Amino acid sequence: MSEAGRPILHDAMTSNIADLRRRFAEAKPFRHVLIENFFAADVVSDLIRQFPVPDPTKMVNEFGRGSKKFARHDVRNIGPCMPTSTTTYARRSLPR
């Protein structure tokens, strides 16, 4: 749950933990799983709306030349939704 008391994860993801675990364990050539609909739709909307627009003047490489990379080091200050989504998963261990 987020700070607002709403679920962060999409119901389709949380209701299929056993299937995701099985698909991960059986995947070839190495263990992996693609999780579609990971976040709840309203959380995704909030994340997209709150994420900053890249500033081309700050998008430079170590040599001062233009770059396509946009980095934001203070992700918890992007918007109200970011601290909730980042700290929730930093503290939680995944099911085995």
Side-chain angles (χ1 to χ4, degrees):
M1 291 274 190
S2 72
E3 292 175 349
R6 66 181 174 170
I8 294 174
L9 300 178
H10 193 284
D11 288 340
M13 204 289 287
T14 57
S15 64
N16 288 321
I17 296 293
D19 183 53
L20 290 169
R21 183 181 296 126
R22 179 192 57 75
R23 289 178 17 219
F24 174 80
E26 296 174 359
K28 302 289 183 204
F30 52 86
R31 297 185 310 169
H32 67 281
V33 67
L34 170 64
I35 303 175
E36 295 188 35
N37 299 317
F38 184 80
F39 288 114
D42 60 325
V43 173
V44 172
S45 295
D46 285 350
L47 288 170
I48 291 169
R49 184 175 40 75
Q50 293 170 14
F51 201 81
V53 175
D55 180 353
T57 64
K58 295 180 181 176
M59 295 169 61
V60 294
N61 63 21
E62 62 272 19
F63 304 109
R65 290 187 286 229
S67 172
K68 293 182 180 181
K69 181 179 178 182
F70 175 62
R72 180 75 185 247
H73 301 287
D74 59 339
V75 294
R76 292 186 178 166
N77 294 323
I78 288 175
C81 198
M82 288 304 287
T84 301
S85 59
T86 57
T87 57
T88 297
Y89 299 105
R91 286 184 267 137
R92 189 179 295 188
S93 61
L94 297 175
R96 295 188 184 250

